[in-house]
Amino acid sequence: MNFTELGLDERLLSGIDSMGYETATPVQEQVIPPILQGKDIIASAQTGTGKTAAFLLPVVNKLLTEPHDTHLVNALIIVPTRELAVQIAQAMEGLSYFTDVSSIPVYGGSDGATFATEKKALSSGVDMVICTPGRMIAHLNNGYVKMQGVKYLVLDEADRMLDMGFHDDIMKIISFLPKQRQNLLFSATMPPKIRELARKILHHPLEINIAVSKPPEQIVQEAFVVYEPQKNPLIKSILQKSDFQSVIVFCSKKSSVKQLAHELKRAGLSVDQIHSDLEQDHREQVLLDFRNRKTRILVATDILSRGIDVEDIDLVINYDVPNDGEDYVHRIGRTARAASTGTAYTFIIEKEQQRFARIEELIGKTVTKAVVPEELGAVPAYNPRGGHGDSGRNRGRGHGFKGKRKPGGQNRPNNNRVS
Ligand code: AMP
């Protein structure tokens, strides 16, 4: 879903654009509309799902479109750690760049000058405060915080806050807030103590569950960090030199499916394509040929990533990085079905590095970066959090496409496959 469909203010759309977000993640899609409607929310969503923007965007949107007193604190976000406070403040800075909504992170451990800056903001008014509980209470105890304007309360990583023993601090902070407010609670897990907290704080909340599945353990996952022009030579090299018998290649766009299928056919490979431009009968024939092993390689859009039942696919290639973790899990889940082993390769070009890092976060695993064959030239460094640059070669820790390997970390090249 595009952010424009969510009805957000133009200034926020500019911020979203400058952050490089192209489409809303599932949690954003599900959470933003009810927050805009003023509902209380309890959402189970992990880090990596885009949950930060899922609450920042609608709250800032409300601050932009509804009257509020700029001399008071209007939105309060309580988080368990300084790191998270800083991270959210940075996301806020980017997303709200084109607005005049002000924000400040308030967290422990910094020097006296920072405390004084926080005090000034809290006493003269700041639209949004992103705080850790202990530090906030230190300020509240001094009596100058303008909490009477808080209309939006967000508890982020609520389960972690309870695990860290912040229950009483949270309740104390809440005792300073006006009763009339919108409450949003985000938590990676939903143990009974979170439900109890929700009962105390939320009013008729809408429950949103962004369940993230994990890929099966037996899938060997590797990624190739490349430049765009290296993708075609790389995929041909993989398909020509390995003996994977049944391969699905996923592309995000129909046009890429068509081009790539054409290219692979010209390289003499047994290949077919499937996407929504084909008639149903044609699609079924393509699938039948693939199932019967008449076709070795099937190039497909995500039309094929969910629900199709083809056993014994031994390699899935993500020709480009899927949009989100859920798509990634579905795509690579086409291999290693019925408890067999499988391999999944993902090609990552520079502009997709951040997206892939998000997927890694979501699946809770760092995917091995494989070595790109020497003859393809220099490759970019994998540096999703910073700029990109040429890395020189062989930065990856994987062994490239030596053929099917057993999962479990240890690479065991199979001699009857060509590397
Ligand atoms: P979070 O789950 O909020 O910690 O977000 C994880 C990462 O995803 C952060 O680096 C965000 O900048 C990024 N992110 C959030 N929303 C989107 C989106 N719609 N498209 C691309 N990246 C996003």
Side-chain angles (χ1 to χ4, degrees):
M1 183 189 264
N2 283 328
F3 283 101
T4 43
E5 295 169 58
L6 292 166
L8 295 167
D9 188 276
E10 281 297 330
R11 289 163 284 182
L12 278 178
L13 293 178
S14 303
I16 291 167
D17 201 42
S18 70
M19 294 287 276
Y21 302 173
E22 284 167 11
T23 50
T25 65
V27 68
Q28 290 161 359
E29 224 175 286
Q30 290 190 47
V31 154
I32 293 175
I35 299 180
L36 288 174
Q37 285 164 19
K39 295 207 166 69
D40 276 16
I41 298 280
I42 175 168
S44 61
Q46 296 142 333
T47 296
T49 53
K51 68 181 167 62
T52 310
F55 60 75
L56 286 180
L57 289 169
V59 168
V60 176
N61 200 84
K62 282 179 152 276
L63 290 171
L64 287 172
T65 53
E66 291 172 13
H68 68 273
D69 188 338
T70 51
H71 301 294
L72 302 173
V73 175
N74 288 282
L76 183 67
I77 299 172
I78 311 180
V79 303
T81 62
R82 290 176 216 174
E83 291 71 27
L84 189 57
V86 170
Q87 212 174 295
I88 295 173
Q90 283 168 350
M92 176 64 189
E93 209 172 297
L95 293 169
S96 67
Y97 188 81
F98 298 96
T99 75
D100 55 4
V101 174
S102 59
S103 62
I104 187 172
V106 168
Y107 51 88
S110 34
D111 54 26
T114 315
F115 195 92
T117 311
E118 292 171 3
K119 176 179 173 181
K120 188 157 176 276
L122 292 170
S123 46
S124 58
V126 58
D127 292 322
M128 179 184 286
V129 173
I130 304 148
C131 67
T132 52
R135 180 68 152 217
M136 194 65 216
I137 285 182
H139 284 292
L140 285 167
N141 285 340
N142 289 332
Y144 45 69
V145 187
K146 300 275 183 59
M147 286 299 213
Q148 64 271 32
V150 173
K151 294 203 210 66
Y152 312 103
L153 170 71
V154 181
L155 301 180
D156 192 19
E157 301 203 354
D159 49 353
R160 219 163 137 204
M161 289 205 275
L162 293 191
D163 289 345
M164 290 168 77
F166 285 140
H167 176 272
D168 294 351
D169 285 355
I170 293 170
M171 295 316 289
K172 175 152 189 200
I173 296 171
I174 289 175
S175 72
F176 284 85
L177 307 182
K179 295 261 172 308
Q180 198 65 30
R181 48 166 212 270
Q182 188 175 2
N183 304 288
L184 315 171
L185 184 152
F186 288 79
S187 188
T189 58
M190 284 292 158
K193 60 185 179 182
I194 286 290
R195 304 225 163 255
E196 206 180 305
L197 182 74
R199 259 198 305 279
K200 287 186 207 154
I201 300 172
L202 309 178
H203 303 290
H204 306 297
L206 184 72
E207 183 157 344
I208 292 170
N209 192 350
I210 311 294
V212 178
S213 22
K214 304 259 172 184
E217 275 300 311
Q218 66 267 28
I219 302 178
V220 177
Q221 299 174 57
E222 287 188 6
F224 293 86
V225 180
V226 289
Y227 293 113
E228 174 78 46
Q230 293 173 317
K231 293 207 300 193
N232 278 359
L234 176 62
I235 196 166
K236 280 189 231 167
S237 182
I238 291 174
L239 295 170
Q240 283 165 341
K241 294 181 183 173
S242 65
D243 64 354
F244 292 104
Q245 292 303 311
S246 207
V247 182
I248 297 185
V249 182
F250 283 110
C251 301
S252 294
K253 288 193 262 168
K254 268 186 270 187
S255 54
S256 322
V257 168
K258 293 175 192 174
Q259 272 168 19
L260 182 63
H262 180 69
E263 186 86 17
L264 296 179
K265 197 164 256 165
R266 274 188 25 182
L269 291 156
S270 160
V271 61
D272 214 335
Q273 55 183 293
I274 192 162
H275 47 76
S276 60
D277 279 356
L278 305 181
E279 296 294 333
Q280 188 61 29
D281 287 357
H282 189 163
R283 279 196 232 168
E284 275 165 24
Q285 188 58 48
V286 169
L287 266 181
L288 193 66
D289 290 346
F290 184 59
R291 275 202 192 98
N292 295 338
R293 301 275 170 115
K294 260 172 83 180
T295 315
R296 176 180 170 225
I297 304 154
L298 192 53
V299 187
T301 53
D302 280 302
I303 196 175
L304 215 65
S305 70
R306 290 162 203 243
I308 77 133
D309 201 21
V310 181
E311 296 292 321
D312 302 327
I313 293 163
D314 42 16
L315 174 66
V316 167
I317 298 178
N318 291 313
Y319 186 76
D320 41 37
V321 175
N323 202 32
D324 53 59
E326 203 65 10
D327 283 348
Y328 179 79
V329 172
H330 281 290
R331 283 187 183 188
I332 74 168
R334 295 303 102 206
T335 186
R337 287 166 80 71
S340 66
T341 59
T343 303
Y345 293 152
T346 302
F347 293 0
I348 310 170
I349 59 169
E350 295 140 283
K351 66 172 186 191
E352 295 169 334
Q353 290 195 7
Q354 215 188 347
R355 198 189 309 164
F356 193 72
R358 191 154 55 88
I359 290 172
E360 288 182 312
E361 213 171 316
L362 201 75
I363 61 172
K365 181 185 167 89
T366 303
V367 174
T368 303
K369 308 302 173 303
V371 176
V372 175
E374 192 114 10
E375 63 270 20
L376 296 189
V379 293
Y382 186 62
N383 183 15
R385 308 262 171 242
H388 313 293
D390 284 322
S391 65
R393 319 225 75 270
N394 296 346
R395 279 200 164 226
R397 282 165 290 126
H399 287 220
F401 45 92
K402 290 220 166 72
K404 276 170 99 174
R405 285 189 295 279
K406 298 261 186 299
Q410 203 59 31
N411 285 324
R412 292 181 213 145
N414 183 338
N415 287 338
N416 61 16
R417 292 165 197 270
V418 192
S419 69

